[in-house]
Coordinates of all heavy atoms in Angstrom, one line a residue:
E1 N 24.0 -42.3 20.2 CA 25.3 -41.6 20.2 C 25.0 -40.1 20.4 O 24.1 -39.6 19.8 CB 26.0 -41.8 18.8 CG 27.4 -41.3 18.8 CD 28.1 -41.7 17.5 OE1 27.7 -42.6 16.8 OE2 29.1 -41.0 17.3
N2 N 25.8 -39.5 21.3 CA 25.7 -38.1 21.6 C 24.3 -37.7 22.1 O 23.7 -36.7 21.8 CB 26.0 -37.2 20.4 CG 27.5 -37.4 20.0 OD1 28.3 -37.5 20.9 ND2 27.7 -37.4 18.7
L3 N 23.7 -38.6 22.9 CA 22.3 -38.4 23.4 C 22.2 -37.1 24.1 O 21.1 -36.4 24.0 CB 21.9 -39.6 24.3 CG 20.5 -39.5 24.8 CD1 19.5 -39.5 23.7 CD2 20.2 -40.7 25.7
D4 N 23.2 -36.6 24.8 CA 23.1 -35.3 25.5 C 22.9 -34.2 24.6 O 22.1 -33.3 24.8 CB 24.3 -35.1 26.4 CG 25.6 -35.1 25.7 OD1 25.7 -35.8 24.7 OD2 26.5 -34.4 26.1
L5 N 23.5 -34.2 23.4 CA 23.4 -33.2 22.4 C 22.0 -33.3 21.7 O 21.3 -32.3 21.5 CB 24.5 -33.3 21.3 CG 25.9 -33.1 21.8 CD1 26.8 -33.4 20.7 CD2 26.1 -31.8 22.4
I6 N 21.6 -34.5 21.5 CA 20.3 -34.7 20.8 C 19.2 -34.2 21.8 O 18.2 -33.6 21.4 CB 20.1 -36.1 20.4 CG1 21.1 -36.6 19.4 CG2 18.7 -36.4 19.8 CD1 21.2 -35.7 18.2
Q7 N 19.3 -34.5 23.1 CA 18.3 -34.1 24.1 C 18.2 -32.6 24.1 O 17.1 -32.0 24.1 CB 18.6 -34.7 25.5 CG 17.5 -34.3 26.5 CD 16.2 -34.9 26.1 OE1 16.1 -36.1 25.9 NE2 15.2 -34.1 26.1
T8 N 19.3 -31.9 24.1 CA 19.3 -30.4 24.1 C 18.6 -29.9 22.9 O 17.8 -29.0 22.9 CB 20.8 -29.9 24.2 OG1 21.3 -30.3 25.5 CG2 20.8 -28.4 24.2
Y9 N 19.0 -30.5 21.7 CA 18.4 -30.1 20.5 C 16.8 -30.3 20.5 O 16.1 -29.4 20.2 CB 18.9 -30.9 19.3 CG 18.1 -30.8 18.0 CD1 18.3 -29.7 17.2 CD2 17.2 -31.8 17.7 CE1 17.5 -29.6 16.0 CE2 16.5 -31.7 16.5 CZ 16.6 -30.6 15.7 OH 15.9 -30.4 14.6
Y10 N 16.4 -31.4 21.1 CA 15.0 -31.7 21.1 C 14.3 -30.7 22.1 O 13.2 -30.3 21.8 CB 14.8 -33.2 21.6 CG 13.3 -33.6 21.6 CD1 12.6 -33.6 20.4 CD2 12.7 -33.9 22.8 CE1 11.2 -34.0 20.4 CE2 11.3 -34.2 22.8 CZ 10.6 -34.3 21.6 OH 9.3 -34.6 21.7
D11 N 14.9 -30.4 23.2 CA 14.3 -29.4 24.1 C 14.1 -28.1 23.4 O 13.1 -27.4 23.6 CB 15.2 -29.2 25.3 CG 15.2 -30.5 26.2 OD1 14.3 -31.4 26.1 OD2 16.1 -30.6 27.1
W12 N 15.1 -27.7 22.6 CA 15.0 -26.4 21.9 C 14.0 -26.5 20.8 O 13.2 -25.6 20.6 CB 16.4 -26.0 21.3 CG 17.4 -25.5 22.3 CD1 17.2 -25.4 23.6 CD2 18.6 -25.0 22.0 NE1 18.3 -24.9 24.2 CE2 19.2 -24.6 23.2 CE3 19.4 -24.9 20.9 CZ2 20.5 -24.1 23.3 CZ3 20.7 -24.3 20.9 CH2 21.2 -24.0 22.2
Y13 N 13.9 -27.7 20.2 CA 12.9 -27.9 19.1 C 11.5 -27.7 19.7 O 10.6 -27.1 19.1 CB 13.1 -29.3 18.5 CG 12.1 -29.6 17.4 CD1 12.4 -29.2 16.1 CD2 10.9 -30.3 17.7 CE1 11.5 -29.5 15.1 CE2 10.0 -30.6 16.7 CZ 10.3 -30.2 15.4 OH 9.4 -30.5 14.4
K14 N 11.2 -28.3 20.9 CA 9.9 -28.2 21.5 C 9.6 -26.7 21.8 O 8.4 -26.4 21.9 CB 9.9 -29.0 22.8 CG 9.9 -30.5 22.5 CD 9.6 -31.3 23.8 CE 10.7 -31.1 24.8 NZ 10.5 -32.0 26.0
Q15 N 10.6 -25.9 22.0 CA 10.4 -24.5 22.3 C 10.2 -23.6 21.0 O 10.0 -22.4 21.0 CB 11.5 -23.9 23.1 CG 11.7 -24.5 24.4 CD 12.9 -24.0 25.1 OE1 13.3 -22.8 25.0 NE2 13.6 -24.8 25.9
G16 N 10.3 -24.3 19.8 CA 10.1 -23.6 18.5 C 11.3 -23.3 17.8 O 11.3 -22.8 16.7
Y17 N 12.5 -23.6 18.3 CA 13.8 -23.4 17.6 C 13.9 -24.4 16.5 O 13.5 -25.6 16.7 CB 15.0 -23.4 18.5 CG 15.0 -22.3 19.5 CD1 14.5 -22.5 20.8 CD2 15.6 -21.1 19.2 CE1 14.6 -21.4 21.7 CE2 15.7 -20.1 20.1 CZ 15.2 -20.2 21.4 OH 15.2 -19.2 22.3
R18 N 14.5 -24.0 15.4 CA 14.8 -25.0 14.3 C 16.3 -24.9 14.0 O 16.9 -23.8 13.7 CB 14.0 -24.7 13.1 CG 12.5 -24.8 13.3 CD 12.2 -26.2 13.7 NE 10.8 -26.4 14.0 CZ 10.2 -26.4 15.2 NH1 11.0 -26.3 16.2 NH2 8.9 -26.6 15.3
I19 N 17.0 -26.0 14.2 CA 18.4 -26.1 14.0 C 18.8 -27.1 13.0 O 18.2 -28.2 12.9 CB 19.1 -26.5 15.4 CG1 18.7 -25.5 16.5 CG2 20.6 -26.6 15.2 CD1 19.1 -25.9 17.8
D20 N 19.7 -26.8 12.1 CA 20.1 -27.7 11.0 C 21.2 -28.6 11.7 O 22.3 -28.2 11.9 CB 20.7 -26.9 9.9 CG 21.1 -27.8 8.7 OD1 20.9 -29.0 8.8 OD2 21.6 -27.3 7.7
L21 N 20.8 -29.8 12.1 CA 21.6 -30.7 12.8 C 22.1 -31.8 11.8 O 21.2 -32.5 11.3 CB 20.9 -31.3 14.0 CG 21.6 -32.2 14.9 CD1 22.7 -31.4 15.6 CD2 20.7 -32.8 15.9
R22 N 23.4 -31.9 11.6 CA 23.9 -33.0 10.7 C 25.1 -33.7 11.3 O 25.9 -33.1 12.0 CB 24.4 -32.3 9.4 CG 23.4 -31.5 8.6 CD 24.0 -30.8 7.5 NE 23.0 -29.9 7.0 CZ 23.2 -29.3 5.8 NH1 24.2 -29.6 5.0 NH2 22.3 -28.5 5.4
K23 N 25.1 -35.0 11.1 CA 26.3 -35.8 11.6 C 27.3 -35.8 10.5 O 27.0 -36.1 9.3 CB 25.9 -37.2 11.9 CG 27.0 -38.0 12.4 CD 26.6 -39.3 12.9 CE 27.8 -40.1 13.4 NZ 27.5 -41.3 14.1
I24 N 28.5 -35.4 10.8 CA 29.6 -35.4 9.8 C 30.8 -36.1 10.4 O 30.9 -36.3 11.6 CB 30.0 -33.9 9.5 CG1 30.5 -33.2 10.7 CG2 28.9 -33.2 8.8 CD1 31.2 -31.9 10.3
K25 N 31.7 -36.6 9.6 CA 32.8 -37.3 10.0 C 33.8 -36.3 10.6 O 34.1 -35.3 10.0 CB 33.5 -38.0 8.8 CG 34.7 -38.8 9.1 CD 35.2 -39.6 7.9 CE 36.5 -40.3 8.4 NZ 37.0 -41.1 7.3
G26 N 34.3 -36.6 11.8 CA 35.2 -35.7 12.5 C 36.6 -35.7 11.9 O 37.0 -36.7 11.3
H27 N 37.3 -34.6 12.1 CA 38.7 -34.5 11.6 C 38.8 -34.8 10.1 O 39.8 -35.3 9.7 CB 39.6 -35.4 12.4 CG 39.4 -35.2 13.9 ND1 39.9 -34.0 14.5 CD2 38.9 -35.9 14.9 CE1 39.6 -34.1 15.8 NE2 39.0 -35.3 16.0
A28 N 37.8 -34.4 9.3 CA 37.9 -34.6 7.9 C 38.1 -33.3 7.2 O 37.9 -33.2 5.9 CB 36.6 -35.2 7.4
G29 N 38.5 -32.2 7.9 CA 38.8 -31.0 7.3 C 37.6 -30.0 7.1 O 37.7 -29.0 6.5
E30 N 36.4 -30.4 7.6 CA 35.2 -29.5 7.4 C 35.4 -28.4 8.4 O 35.6 -28.5 9.6 CB 34.0 -30.3 7.8 CG 32.7 -29.7 7.3 CD 32.2 -28.6 8.1 OE1 32.4 -28.6 9.4 OE2 31.6 -27.6 7.6
E31 N 35.4 -27.1 7.9 CA 35.9 -26.0 8.7 C 35.0 -25.7 9.9 O 35.5 -25.3 10.9 CB 36.0 -24.7 7.8 CG 34.7 -24.3 7.1 CD 34.9 -23.2 6.1 OE1 36.0 -22.6 6.1 OE2 33.9 -22.8 5.5
W32 N 33.7 -25.9 9.8 CA 32.9 -25.7 11.0 C 33.2 -26.7 12.1 O 33.2 -26.4 13.2 CB 31.4 -25.8 10.6 CG 30.9 -24.6 9.9 CD1 30.7 -24.5 8.5 CD2 30.5 -23.4 10.4 NE1 30.3 -23.2 8.2 CE2 30.1 -22.5 9.4 CE3 30.4 -22.9 11.7 CZ2 29.7 -21.2 9.6 CZ3 30.0 -21.6 11.9 CH2 29.6 -20.8 10.9
N33 N 33.4 -28.0 11.7 CA 33.7 -29.0 12.7 C 35.1 -28.8 13.3 O 35.2 -28.9 14.5 CB 33.6 -30.4 12.0 CG 33.8 -31.5 13.0 OD1 33.1 -31.6 14.0 ND2 34.8 -32.3 12.8
E34 N 36.0 -28.3 12.5 CA 37.3 -28.1 13.0 C 37.3 -26.9 14.0 O 37.9 -27.0 15.1 CB 38.3 -27.8 11.9 CG 38.6 -29.0 10.9 CD 39.2 -30.2 11.6 OE1 40.0 -30.0 12.5 OE2 38.8 -31.3 11.2
L35 N 36.5 -25.9 13.7 CA 36.4 -24.7 14.6 C 35.8 -25.2 15.9 O 36.2 -24.8 17.0 CB 35.6 -23.6 13.9 CG 35.4 -22.4 14.8 CD1 36.7 -21.7 15.0 CD2 34.5 -21.4 14.1
A36 N 34.7 -25.9 15.8 CA 34.0 -26.4 17.0 C 34.9 -27.3 17.8 O 35.0 -27.2 19.1 CB 32.7 -27.2 16.6
D37 N 35.7 -28.2 17.2 CA 36.6 -29.0 17.9 C 37.7 -28.2 18.6 O 38.0 -28.5 19.8 CB 37.3 -30.0 16.9 CG 38.2 -31.0 17.7 OD1 37.7 -31.8 18.5 OD2 39.4 -31.0 17.4
Q38 N 38.2 -27.2 17.9 CA 39.3 -26.4 18.5 C 38.7 -25.6 19.7 O 39.4 -25.5 20.8 CB 39.9 -25.4 17.5 CG 40.7 -26.1 16.4 CD 41.1 -25.1 15.4 OE1 40.8 -24.0 15.4 NE2 41.9 -25.7 14.4
L39 N 37.5 -25.1 19.6 CA 36.9 -24.4 20.7 C 36.6 -25.4 21.9 O 36.9 -25.0 23.1 CB 35.6 -23.7 20.2 CG 34.9 -22.8 21.2 CD1 35.8 -21.7 21.8 CD2 33.6 -22.3 20.6
A40 N 36.0 -26.5 21.6 CA 35.7 -27.5 22.6 C 36.9 -28.0 23.4 O 36.8 -28.3 24.6 CB 34.9 -28.7 22.0
T41 N 38.0 -28.2 22.7 CA 39.2 -28.7 23.4 C 40.1 -27.7 24.0 O 41.1 -28.0 24.7 CB 40.0 -29.5 22.4 OG1 40.4 -28.7 21.3 CG2 39.3 -30.7 21.8
G42 N 39.7 -26.4 23.8 CA 40.5 -25.3 24.4 C 41.7 -24.9 23.6 O 42.5 -24.1 24.1
Y43 N 41.8 -25.4 22.4 CA 42.9 -25.1 21.5 C 42.8 -23.6 21.1 O 43.8 -22.9 21.0 CB 42.9 -26.0 20.3 CG 44.1 -25.8 19.4 CD1 45.4 -26.3 19.8 CD2 44.0 -25.1 18.2 CE1 46.5 -26.1 19.0 CE2 45.1 -24.9 17.4 CZ 46.4 -25.4 17.8 OH 47.4 -25.2 17.0
I44 N 41.6 -23.1 21.0 CA 41.4 -21.7 20.8 C 40.4 -21.1 21.8 O 39.6 -21.9 22.4 CB 40.9 -21.4 19.3 CG1 39.5 -22.0 19.1 CG2 41.9 -21.8 18.3 CD1 38.8 -21.6 17.8
S45 N 40.4 -19.9 22.0 CA 39.5 -19.2 23.0 C 38.2 -18.8 22.3 O 38.1 -18.8 21.1 CB 40.2 -18.0 23.6 OG 40.4 -17.0 22.6
E46 N 37.3 -18.4 23.1 CA 36.0 -17.9 22.6 C 36.3 -16.7 21.7 O 35.7 -16.5 20.7 CB 35.0 -17.6 23.7 CG 34.4 -18.8 24.3 CD 33.4 -18.4 25.4 OE1 32.9 -17.3 25.4 OE2 33.1 -19.3 26.2
E47 N 37.2 -15.9 22.1 CA 37.5 -14.7 21.4 C 38.1 -15.0 20.0 O 37.8 -14.4 19.0 CB 38.5 -13.8 22.2 CG 38.9 -12.5 21.5 CD 39.8 -11.6 22.3 OE1 40.1 -11.9 23.4 OE2 40.2 -10.6 21.7
E48 N 39.0 -16.0 20.0 CA 39.6 -16.5 18.7 C 38.5 -17.1 17.8 O 38.5 -16.8 16.6 CB 40.7 -17.5 19.0 CG 41.9 -16.8 19.6 CD 43.0 -17.9 20.1 OE1 42.6 -18.8 20.8 OE2 44.1 -17.7 19.7
A49 N 37.6 -17.8 18.4 CA 36.5 -18.4 17.6 C 35.6 -17.3 17.0 O 35.3 -17.3 15.8 CB 35.6 -19.3 18.4
Y50 N 35.3 -16.3 17.8 CA 34.6 -15.1 17.4 C 35.3 -14.4 16.2 O 34.7 -14.1 15.2 CB 34.3 -14.2 18.5 CG 33.6 -12.9 18.1 CD1 32.2 -12.9 17.9 CD2 34.3 -11.7 17.9 CE1 31.6 -11.7 17.5 CE2 33.7 -10.6 17.5 CZ 32.3 -10.6 17.3 OH 31.7 -9.4 16.8
N51 N 36.6 -14.2 16.4 CA 37.3 -13.5 15.4 C 37.3 -14.3 14.1 O 37.3 -13.7 13.0 CB 38.8 -13.2 15.8 CG 38.8 -12.2 16.9 OD1 37.9 -11.3 17.0 ND2 39.8 -12.2 17.7
T52 N 37.4 -15.6 14.1 CA 37.3 -16.5 12.9 C 36.0 -16.3 12.3 O 35.9 -16.1 11.1 CB 37.5 -18.0 13.3 OG1 38.9 -18.1 13.8 CG2 37.4 -18.8 12.1
L53 N 34.9 -16.4 13.1 CA 33.5 -16.1 12.5 C 33.4 -14.8 11.9 O 32.8 -14.6 10.9 CB 32.5 -16.4 13.6 CG 32.3 -17.8 14.0 CD1 31.3 -17.9 15.1 CD2 31.9 -18.7 12.9
K54 N 34.0 -13.8 12.5 CA 34.0 -12.4 12.0 C 34.7 -12.3 10.7 O 34.2 -11.7 9.7 CB 34.7 -11.5 13.0 CG 34.4 -10.0 12.7 CD 34.9 -9.2 13.9 CE 34.6 -7.7 13.6 NZ 35.1 -6.8 14.7
Q55 N 35.8 -13.0 10.5 CA 36.5 -13.1 9.2 C 35.6 -13.7 8.2 O 35.7 -13.3 7.0 CB 37.8 -13.9 9.4 CG 38.9 -13.2 10.1 CD 40.1 -14.1 10.3 OE1 40.1 -15.3 10.0 NE2 41.1 -13.6 11.0
W56 N 34.8 -14.7 8.6 CA 33.9 -15.3 7.6 C 32.6 -14.5 7.4 O 31.8 -14.9 6.6 CB 33.5 -16.7 8.1 CG 34.7 -17.7 8.2 CD1 35.9 -17.6 7.7 CD2 34.6 -19.0 8.9 NE1 36.7 -18.7 8.0 CE2 35.9 -19.6 8.7 CE3 33.7 -19.6 9.6 CZ2 36.2 -20.8 9.3 CZ3 34.0 -20.9 10.2 CH2 35.3 -21.4 10.0
G57 N 32.5 -13.4 8.1 CA 31.3 -12.6 8.0 C 30.1 -13.2 8.8 O 28.9 -12.9 8.5
L58 N 30.4 -14.0 9.8 CA 29.3 -14.8 10.5 C 29.3 -14.5 12.0 O 28.8 -15.3 12.7 CB 29.5 -16.3 10.2 CG 29.4 -16.7 8.7 CD1 29.9 -18.1 8.6 CD2 28.1 -16.5 8.2
E59 N 29.8 -13.4 12.4 CA 29.9 -13.1 13.8 C 28.5 -13.1 14.6 O 28.5 -13.4 15.8 CB 30.7 -11.8 14.1 CG 30.0 -10.6 13.7 CD 30.3 -10.2 12.3 OE1 30.9 -11.0 11.5 OE2 30.0 -9.1 11.9
K60 N 27.4 -12.9 13.8 CA 26.1 -12.9 14.5 C 25.7 -14.3 14.9 O 24.8 -14.4 15.7 CB 25.1 -12.3 13.5 CG 25.3 -10.9 13.2 CD 24.2 -10.3 12.3 CE 24.4 -8.8 12.1 NZ 23.5 -8.3 11.2
L61 N 26.4 -15.3 14.5 CA 26.1 -16.7 14.9 C 26.7 -17.0 16.2 O 26.3 -18.0 16.8 CB 26.6 -17.7 13.9 CG 26.0 -17.6 12.5 CD1 26.7 -18.6 11.6 CD2 24.6 -17.8 12.5
F62 N 27.6 -16.2 16.7 CA 28.3 -16.5 18.0 C 27.6 -15.8 19.1 O 27.4 -14.6 19.2 CB 29.7 -16.0 17.9 CG 30.6 -16.5 19.0 CD1 31.3 -17.7 18.8 CD2 30.9 -15.8 20.1 CE1 32.1 -18.2 19.8 CE2 31.7 -16.2 21.1 CZ 32.3 -17.5 20.9
Y63 N 27.1 -16.6 20.1 CA 26.5 -16.0 21.3 C 26.8 -16.9 22.5 O 27.2 -18.1 22.3 CB 25.0 -15.9 21.1 CG 24.3 -17.3 20.9 CD1 23.8 -18.0 21.9 CD2 24.1 -17.8 19.6 CE1 23.3 -19.3 21.7 CE2 23.5 -19.0 19.4 CZ 23.1 -19.7 20.5 OH 22.5 -21.0 20.2
K64 N 26.7 -16.3 23.6 CA 27.0 -17.1 24.9 C 25.7 -17.8 25.3 O 24.7 -17.2 25.5 CB 27.5 -16.1 25.9 CG 27.9 -16.8 27.2 CD 28.6 -15.8 28.1 CE 29.1 -16.4 29.4 NZ 30.2 -17.3 29.2
V65 N 25.9 -19.1 25.6 CA 24.8 -19.9 26.1 C 24.6 -19.5 27.6 O 25.5 -19.4 28.3 CB 25.0 -21.4 25.9 CG1 24.0 -22.2 26.5 CG2 25.2 -21.7 24.4
P66 N 23.3 -19.4 28.0 CA 23.1 -19.1 29.5 C 23.8 -20.2 30.3 O 23.8 -21.4 30.0 CB 21.6 -19.2 29.6 CG 21.1 -18.9 28.2 CD 22.1 -19.5 27.3
E67 N 24.3 -19.8 31.5 CA 25.1 -20.7 32.3 C 24.2 -21.5 33.3 O 24.5 -22.5 33.7 CB 26.1 -19.9 33.1 CG 27.2 -19.4 32.2 CD 28.3 -18.7 33.0 OE1 28.4 -18.9 34.2 OE2 29.1 -18.0 32.4
K68 N 23.0 -20.9 33.5 CA 22.1 -21.6 34.4 C 20.7 -21.7 33.9 O 20.3 -20.8 33.1 CB 22.1 -21.0 35.8 CG 21.7 -19.6 35.9 CD 21.9 -19.0 37.3 CE 21.5 -17.5 37.3 NZ 21.8 -16.9 38.4
E69 N 19.9 -22.7 34.3 CA 18.6 -22.8 33.8 C 17.7 -21.6 34.2 O 17.9 -21.0 35.3 CB 17.9 -24.1 34.5 CG 16.7 -24.5 33.8 CD 16.2 -25.8 34.3 OE1 17.0 -26.7 34.6 OE2 15.0 -26.0 34.4
G70 N 16.9 -21.1 33.3 CA 16.1 -20.0 33.5 C 16.7 -18.7 32.9 O 15.9 -17.8 32.6
D71 N 18.0 -18.7 32.6 CA 18.6 -17.5 31.9 C 18.1 -17.6 30.4 O 17.7 -18.6 29.9 CB 20.1 -17.6 31.9 CG 20.7 -17.3 33.2 OD1 19.9 -16.9 34.1 OD2 21.9 -17.5 33.4
T72 N 18.0 -16.4 29.8 CA 17.6 -16.4 28.4 C 18.8 -16.0 27.5 O 19.8 -15.5 28.0 CB 16.5 -15.3 28.2 OG1 17.0 -14.0 28.7 CG2 15.3 -15.6 29.0
L73 N 18.6 -16.4 26.3 CA 19.6 -16.1 25.3 C 19.6 -14.6 24.9 O 18.6 -14.0 24.9 CB 19.5 -17.0 24.0 CG 19.7 -18.4 24.3 CD1 19.3 -19.2 23.0 CD2 21.1 -18.7 24.7

């Protein structure tokens, strides 16, 4: 399930990144999952997601993923 996400995680893991990856029940009111869902479905914009993280004091967690292979974070 979600093999594309797991493959990306594994690729980053091989590069030395460590990510806390957990499977959670969707639409169960978990705030991080709800924020991710709203962003993924276009219900909120990247700017709105950033502003939410800023309210939580976590704006440093928000970054743009490179659009093409070879770009760096």
Side-chain angles (χ1 to χ4, degrees):
E1 188 174 341
N2 297 321
L3 184 57
D4 57 330
L5 298 175
I6 300 302
Q7 183 62 53
T8 300
Y9 168 79
Y10 184 64
D11 292 343
W12 286 3
Y13 181 85
K14 289 188 298 186
Q15 295 176 38
Y17 292 94
R18 296 300 177 260
I19 300 169
D20 185 2
L21 186 64
R22 301 175 192 195
K23 182 174 181 171
I24 60 170
K25 184 176 179 178
H27 308 290
E30 199 282 325
E31 61 188 353
W32 284 99
N33 186 56
E34 296 298 325
L35 180 64
D37 184 61
Q38 290 174 357
L39 184 58
T41 60
Y43 186 76
I44 62 172
S45 67
E46 288 183 15
E47 182 178 353
E48 290 170 311
Y50 175 80
N51 289 335
T52 298
L53 290 176
K54 193 172 181 178
Q55 288 174 356
W56 295 347
L58 301 169
E59 65 271 13
K60 291 181 181 179
L61 297 177
F62 194 86
Y63 61 89
K64 186 170 180 72
V65 175
E67 294 184 14
K68 59 184 176 189
E69 192 171 326
D71 288 350
T72 57
L73 295 176

